Amino acid sequence: GSIDHHYMFLGCNATSLLRDLAKRYADDGSRSGFVKKGDEIIIRTENHLANVLPWVELAQSVGDVTIRWWTTTMSKSSSSLLSSTSSATNKVPLVSAKLQDLITSKTRIVAVSHASNILGQVRNIQSICCEVKSLTSGKAHVIVDGVAAVPHIYSNVDTSGVDFYVVSCHKLFGPHLGGLCARKTSVLELMGREMTKQEKTVCGSNDVCNEDPDVERMSDGSVYQSWEVGTLNYEGCSGVVGLGEYFSTLARFDSIQSDANKTRGRSNVGQEVMSTSSGGKQQLQTSNQSTGEPCDREEGLSPNHVQCKELLNLSLLLESSEPRDILQPEQVVEAYRHINNVETSLMDYMLFKFQSYPLVRIIEEETMKLDDMNQQQKQFDAQQQQEQKRLPILSFIHDRIKPSEIVRVCYENGIACRHGTFLSTDIFMRESNIGMTSSYAIDDSSIQQINTMSRSEKEGLVRLSLAHYNTKGDIDFLLGVLESMEDWC
């Protein structure tokens, strides 16, 4: 977001930033009182628990705050949830797949994810914000968890209208650091009420002193002192600079590759070498597109790895004696364009292959199936039609093989993937029709149960994640490993 309209707060991670944010909404005599008794909070069931528990705890601490659950459109598996409960007083459902059915004049917070870390579905944040602001007359805040989304898609918080947007830099090929992009008007709204609570005596009234001139004249330094408490991780902050350099590299990938090929007279080498500059291991084994040779899965380099390292060695950019420029927005957009181009084609290929396996059930919304993609895209405006609608994430369960066994075999072959529930809510797992160790109806008492879920005993599902440094050869290698398993087909 632009510095004119947003603050960027740094913290340990996305989870801690969301917890600290939620505490600022409570009416405990010293904080903002943005959420009071009788108010309502809407939570998307597909959210990571980091964007669920803080709002559930907020509702508990304030008391008499209603939680409403916005479900996905997996209607076949969630029909019992959708029809099981409704508010007896005003007929507003506690659970619905339609946001407009849940919003009331008492809605104060809507907590959503930019993209599900299981479904991979990208949500139209701008549309959500417009709907929330319109139906609540601007009185509700929209809090977005962008952790799963930002490694793959560009998020323009300037145009989306979101109040708070949280990310994790380490998921974005950077250091272990969290970032909270906050709209200035929303921050000052919370801090203004907060300061007024503390200055009741000065105001000489029990009423909120909205006319306090100090609120309007609050400096950015005062804001950061209040929101970034304590000493930040300086090493992590320095690493963010390196992240900017990496995105600058990505933005110029096509020209770097072209120049390198002309200079060295070499053929096109696949995007897998981008992993060298990301500083981390690949999530899937990489291969050299020019030779077709599989990579060494421990080192992340092909047998012909010298070419790979020479082609995209960061020295092509970073050993220059010229001063490093500040990363510009257009460079970020161009970097994501490259990421998009690579990941979209890879995901289409992997999805096509997995849909041919009769014993595999892909976890997805009905609208996510390929036959429905064109209809879904029509719901987005012209600008968003150019954006990625699904992350390169594929979650599935096999009818005969346990998720833990699939992951074990993959790891033995150097393929990094995971299984489990990925810190999702029990409600969402029930929507997805995935076996759970607990079962309960969605009502007011379920708020108490969300915090007591036993996750270590759950097989959950298998999740495969691709990135811009992967190749078609990686996917073919993965498929070969899976097809070698007894009972796979």
Side-chain angles (χ1 to χ4, degrees), residues 294-356:
C295 288
D296 184 313
R297 291 181 292 279
E298 291 298 321
E299 298 297 330
L301 299 174
S302 69
N304 201 16
H305 62 272
V306 174
Q307 293 182 18
C308 296
K309 292 183 70 175
E310 289 180 352
L311 175 62
L312 272 180
N313 192 306
L314 283 182
S315 63
L316 288 172
L317 292 176
L318 304 184
E319 288 183 359
S320 171
S321 59
E322 298 179 1
R324 299 170 186 174
D325 296 330
I326 297 176
L327 187 67
Q328 300 299 314
E330 55 268 22
Q331 292 178 290
V332 178
V333 172
E334 183 61 22
Y336 274 112
R337 184 195 65 79
H338 170 73
I339 291 173
N340 243 322
N341 289 342
V342 174
E343 293 180 346
T344 299
S345 59
L346 290 177
M347 184 59 192
D348 287 345
Y349 178 69
M350 185 166 69
L351 187 60
F352 173 77
K353 288 293 188 178
F354 267 80
Q355 287 175 334
S356 68

Side-chain angles (χ1 to χ4, degrees), residues 151-393:
H152 310 284
I153 60 174
Y154 175 65
S155 177
N156 190 338
V157 295
D158 281 327
T159 60
S160 67
V162 64
D163 295 282
F164 296 94
Y165 191 101
V166 68
V167 299
S168 287
C169 293
H170 70 281
K171 299 291 182 68
L172 189 57
F173 319 107
H176 200 120
L177 202 68
L180 178 66
C181 186
R183 186 172 293 275
K184 282 190 174 182
T185 54
S186 303
V187 170
L188 295 178
E189 183 177 14
L190 291 181
M191 293 192 70
R193 297 190 185 195
E194 187 174 295
M195 288 179 63
T196 302
K197 287 276 188 179
Q198 295 170 354
E199 297 177 355
K200 282 182 181 180
T201 304
V202 176
C203 293
S205 171
N206 290 328
D207 298 327
V208 175
C209 186
N210 288 322
E211 300 300 322
D212 187 346
D214 291 336
V215 175
E216 297 298 326
R217 295 200 302 267
M218 189 181 301
S219 67
D220 286 351
S222 299
V223 173
Y224 279 103
Q225 287 177 4
S226 175
W227 286 66
E228 290 185 343
V229 180
T231 303
L232 290 173
N233 180 346
Y234 292 142
E235 295 86 349
C237 294
S238 178
V240 173
V241 177
L243 178 59
E245 293 168 352
Y246 179 54
F247 265 71
S248 177
T249 305
L250 285 177
R252 291 191 271 178
F253 173 78
D254 290 339
S255 61
I256 294 171
Q257 188 179 56
S258 176
D259 292 344
N261 289 337
K262 290 177 182 178
T263 302
R264 299 172 178 83
R266 292 171 182 158
S267 60
N268 183 21
V269 179
Q271 286 84 359
E272 73 278 1
V273 295
M274 299 304 292
S275 61
T276 304
S277 58
S278 71
K281 283 190 176 182
Q282 296 89 329
Q283 292 172 290
L284 291 176
Q285 180 195 26
T286 59
S287 63
N288 188 307
Q289 284 185 331
S290 63
T291 64
E293 298 173 314
C295 288
D296 184 313
R297 291 181 292 279
E298 291 298 321
E299 298 297 330
L301 299 174
S302 69
N304 201 16
H305 62 272
V306 174
Q307 293 182 18
C308 296
K309 292 183 70 175
E310 289 180 352
L311 175 62
L312 272 180
N313 192 306
L314 283 182
S315 63
L316 288 172
L317 292 176
L318 304 184
E319 288 183 359
S320 171
S321 59
E322 298 179 1
R324 299 170 186 174
D325 296 330
I326 297 176
L327 187 67
Q328 300 299 314
E330 55 268 22
Q331 292 178 290
V332 178
V333 172
E334 183 61 22
Y336 274 112
R337 184 195 65 79
H338 170 73
I339 291 173
N340 243 322
N341 289 342
V342 174
E343 293 180 346
T344 299
S345 59
L346 290 177
M347 184 59 192
D348 287 345
Y349 178 69
M350 185 166 69
L351 187 60
F352 173 77
K353 288 293 188 178
F354 267 80
Q355 287 175 334
S356 68
Y357 296 133
L359 299 180
V360 169
R361 179 167 74 88
I362 300 173
I363 309 302
E364 59 184 354
E365 290 184 290
E366 293 297 316
T367 54
M368 283 294 293
K369 293 184 178 179
L370 290 178
D371 293 342
D372 300 324
M373 284 297 287
N374 289 336
Q375 182 63 35
Q376 182 192 23
Q377 289 175 358
K378 293 178 182 179
Q379 299 174 5
F380 289 80
D381 57 36
Q383 177 182 354
Q384 291 170 320
Q385 287 237 354
Q386 306 302 319
E387 297 179 358
Q388 197 170 338
K389 302 305 184 300
R390 178 172 185 158
L391 303 184
I393 293 173

Side-chain angles (χ1 to χ4, degrees), residues 84-200:
S84 63
T85 58
S86 63
S87 174
T89 57
N90 55 16
K91 304 301 181 183
V92 177
L94 291 176
V95 185
S96 177
K98 295 181 179 180
L99 177 59
Q100 61 267 31
D101 291 345
L102 300 172
I103 296 177
T104 72
S105 60
K106 297 180 181 181
T107 301
R108 290 294 175 265
I109 292 174
V110 178
V112 300
S113 299
H114 195 166
S116 166
N117 69 337
I118 289 181
L119 298 177
Q121 170 69 62
V122 178
R123 304 303 178 187
N124 189 336
I125 297 302
Q126 183 175 3
S127 176
I128 291 172
C129 289
C130 287
E131 188 170 14
V132 170
K133 300 298 183 180
S134 174
L135 295 178
T136 64
S137 300
K139 294 181 180 180
H141 282 184
V142 179
I143 290 88
V144 178
D145 178 356
V147 171
V150 292
H152 310 284
I153 60 174
Y154 175 65
S155 177
N156 190 338
V157 295
D158 281 327
T159 60
S160 67
V162 64
D163 295 282
F164 296 94
Y165 191 101
V166 68
V167 299
S168 287
C169 293
H170 70 281
K171 299 291 182 68
L172 189 57
F173 319 107
H176 200 120
L177 202 68
L180 178 66
C181 186
R183 186 172 293 275
K184 282 190 174 182
T185 54
S186 303
V187 170
L188 295 178
E189 183 177 14
L190 291 181
M191 293 192 70
R193 297 190 185 195
E194 187 174 295
M195 288 179 63
T196 302
K197 287 276 188 179
Q198 295 170 354
E199 297 177 355
K200 282 182 181 180

Side-chain angles (χ1 to χ4, degrees), residues 51-66:
N51 201 23
V52 173
L53 295 181
W55 311 115
V56 170
E57 292 167 359
L58 170 63
Q60 292 175 334
S61 65
V62 174
D64 192 27
V65 173
T66 301

